[in-house]
């Protein structure tokens, strides 16, 4: 019994249309199979290249060892030249430090004058309150632009010329308390030892970085000590330092 329509055409085994459709279907399946295999193939073998790349990757420790060995060999071959360069740098830095020491000693003797007895008495009272039992000289200098302390055994506080007339007594006492904190902490001696370390290790950037941090923290510590000495009022010291900076400009 013949079946009508497309269903009948597909179901009839002996017709030419049926053989043509079957052949097309077979060829389509054969042509599609490699594509399926190709798409599935790399997924199955993907871990293998990753594993091989990981196996061929260079080990960092070997590179570090090789670099260190090359560096040591370079220093061994050029050691005399490096020593000569270090000695030249040491000589230059030593001359710089010696010149600074001579200049500081010149500051305490050249173009200076003592302050009045009233300010000497105020300085002595501040030193006694701070627990400092050494005598401290108070001088005005025409060569300095900021207050500073010179000397360790016989310390001297140098003030810029005209500071007494340019600042109020309260502000000047706060500045003197800051300088007395430097004397109490022996900062002149510490700074001298720090300068020696900078001379010996002038080639190392970490030494200069640490030295700069030490100087900054030294000033902060003296600010704290001066604030405690002046009754715990940090605003008074801040205003005194601001007034001094404006006056020196």
């Amino acid at each position: 019994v013949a079946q009508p329509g497309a269903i009948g055409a597909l179901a009839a085994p002996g017709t030419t249309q049926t053989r043509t459709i079957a052949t097309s279907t077979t060829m389509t399946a054969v042509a599609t199979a490699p594509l399926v295999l190709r798409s599935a193939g790399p997924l199955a073998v993907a871990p293998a290249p990753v594993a091989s790349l990981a196996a061929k990757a260079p080990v960092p420790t070997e590179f570090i060892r090789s670099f260190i060995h090359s560096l040591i060999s370079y220093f061994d071959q050029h050691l005399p030249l490096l020593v000569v360069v270090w000695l030249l740098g040491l000589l230059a830095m030593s001359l710089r430090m010696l010149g600074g020491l001579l200049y500081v000693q010149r500051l305490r003797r050249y173009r200076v004058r003592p302050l009045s007895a009233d300010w000497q008495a105020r300085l002595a009272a501040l030193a006694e309150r701070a627990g400092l039992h050494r005598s401290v000289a108070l001088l005005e200098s025409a060569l300095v632009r900021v207050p500073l302390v010179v000397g360790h055994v016989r310390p001297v506080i140098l003030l810029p010329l005209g500071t007494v007339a340019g600042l109020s007594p309260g502000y000047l006492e706060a500045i003197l308390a800051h300088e007395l904190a430097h004397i109490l902490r022996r900062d002149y001696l510490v700074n001298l030892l720090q300068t020696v370390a900078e001379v010996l290790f002038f080639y190392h950037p970490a030494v200069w970085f640490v030295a700069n941090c030490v100087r900054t923290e030294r000033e902060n510590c003296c600010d704290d000590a001066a604030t405690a000495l002046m009754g715990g009022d940090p605003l008074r010291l801040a205003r005194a330092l601001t007034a001094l900076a404006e006056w020196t400009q």
Side-chain angles (χ1 to χ4, degrees), residues 119-140:
W119 279 108
Q120 299 288 346
R122 290 189 183 189
L123 179 64
L126 283 174
E128 184 178 359
R129 196 190 314 169
L132 185 63
H133 304 292
R134 287 181 290 171
S135 61
V136 181
L138 183 59
L139 304 175
E140 275 188 327

Side-chain angles (χ1 to χ4, degrees), residues 53-64:
L53 288 176
K56 294 179 181 179
V59 182
T61 55
E62 295 296 330
F63 172 76
I64 295 175

Side-chain angles (χ1 to χ4, degrees), residues 208-226:
W208 294 97
F209 174 76
V210 171
N212 187 36
C213 293
V214 168
R215 289 189 176 93
T216 303
E217 292 302 321
R218 180 187 303 153
E219 295 298 325
N220 294 334
C221 292
C222 290
D223 288 342
D224 295 339

Side-chain angles (χ1 to χ4, degrees), residues 226-246:
T227 300
L229 188 59
M230 298 307 297
D233 185 11
L235 189 58
R236 180 180 177 183
L237 178 62
R239 288 174 176 172
L241 295 176
T242 303
L244 178 64
E246 293 176 352

Side-chain angles (χ1 to χ4, degrees), residues 58-81:
V59 182
T61 55
E62 295 296 330
F63 172 76
I64 295 175
R65 290 174 184 173
S66 175
F67 176 75
I68 293 176
H69 180 71
S70 302
L71 195 63
I72 293 175
S73 300
Y74 176 82
F75 279 113
D76 288 340
Q77 294 174 3
H78 300 84
L79 186 59
L81 178 61

Side-chain angles (χ1 to χ4, degrees), residues 160-177:
L161 193 63
T163 306
V164 178
L167 298 178
S168 64
Y171 287 171
L172 189 55
E173 282 187 358
I175 293 172
L176 291 178

